[in-house]
Amino acid sequence: GPLGNGYTLKKDKAILVAGGIGVPPMLELAKELDCEKTIVLGYRDELFLNKEFEQYGKVVIATEDGSCGNKGECTGCHPCRRVSMVRVIYSCGPTPMLRALKQYAADNGIEAWISLEEKMACGIGACLACVCKSKDVDHHTNVHNKRICKDGPVFNAQEVEL
Ligand code: FES
C-alpha cells in the first residue's frame, strides 16, 4: 500500500464540483491545482469548508433547501450549466451528481475526473465489495468491473458506468 489513486492534475481551466460528503476531499485538490478554477459546492442545508475553498478559486454555493446560494442541486447552477466553458471537470459526491456531470462532459467533449466513494470491505482489492461497472474488462476479474479501492477511487468519467 497505499492503494488507490488521485486526480490527474491538469493546467487547463477547470471546474470542481463537490456535493455533500464529497466536499472535504476536494479541498486538497483545490490547493494542488495550479490553474483558473471555479469551485461549485453543493450542500443539503448547512455549509462547511466553504470559506477554506475561497482562497483557491471562485466559489459558487448551492443548497437543496435554498437557504444559501443557488437553490437545488449543484449541477443545476450557472457554472455547471456553462460547463462547456471549461476544459476539465473534477468531481466528488453523490452518484446522481456524478452521473449528470459525466453526461455533460460527454455531450460537450470535456475531460472529466470523478471520485467514486463506495462501501468498501477489504480495501485491498480482494473481496470485490466495491466494484463498479467499467467500459473495459478488468484484468483481475476478467469482467467489466473496476475495484474502486484499488483501481480508483478516481476514474475518468467515461471509463465507468454510473
Ligand atoms: Fe474489497 Fe475493494 S473493498 S476489493
Side-chain angles (χ1 to χ4, degrees):
L3 298 178
N5 62 6
Y7 290 96
T8 301
L9 304 182
K10 304 278 182 161
K11 296 257 184 202
D12 290 325
K13 190 172 178 183
I15 183 168
L16 282 64
V17 185
I21 60 166
V23 169
M26 297 296 273
L27 184 56
E28 190 59 33
L29 175 67
K31 283 183 200 171
E32 296 284 325
L33 270 179
D34 181 21
C35 65
E36 183 183 344
K37 52 194 172 277
T38 301
I39 302 161
V40 180
L41 304 175
Y43 302 93
R44 178 164 294 158
D45 43 30
E46 194 173 326
L47 308 189
F48 54 90
L49 291 178
N50 54 306
K51 294 288 179 214
E52 285 80 351
F53 276 95
E54 284 173 3
Q55 58 193 304
Y56 304 112
K58 178 176 188 274
V59 173
V60 177
I61 305 258
T63 50
E64 286 181 17
D65 65 359
S67 56
C68 186
N70 297 273
K71 185 178 188 326
E73 294 175 1
C74 53
T75 48
C77 67
H78 182 72
C80 287
R81 281 187 273 120
R82 299 287 306 277
V83 79
S84 59
M85 303 295 286
V86 301
R87 305 290 303 166
V88 59
I89 298 169
Y90 300 96
S91 188
C92 184
T95 301
M97 182 190 87
L98 298 179
R99 189 179 296 126
L101 288 170
K102 175 185 170 170
Q103 190 62 52
Y104 280 128
D107 291 348
N108 292 284
I110 301 167
E111 191 174 337
W113 296 94
I114 58 175
S115 181
L116 303 182
E117 308 289 334
E118 273 299 329
K119 37 189 184 314
M120 295 188 189
C122 73
I124 57 169
C127 73
L128 308 183
C130 63
V131 293
C132 64
K133 291 212 174 302
S134 63
K135 190 170 134 198
D136 297 324
V137 170
D138 175 62
H139 71 278
H140 178 72
T141 58
N142 209 27
V143 291
H144 290 269
N145 278 344
K146 292 277 187 195
R147 291 165 292 168
I148 293 172
C149 70
K150 189 165 191 308
D151 304 320
V154 176
F155 296 95
N156 183 305
Q158 306 314 324
E159 276 182 62
V160 292
E161 304 293 331
L162 297 173

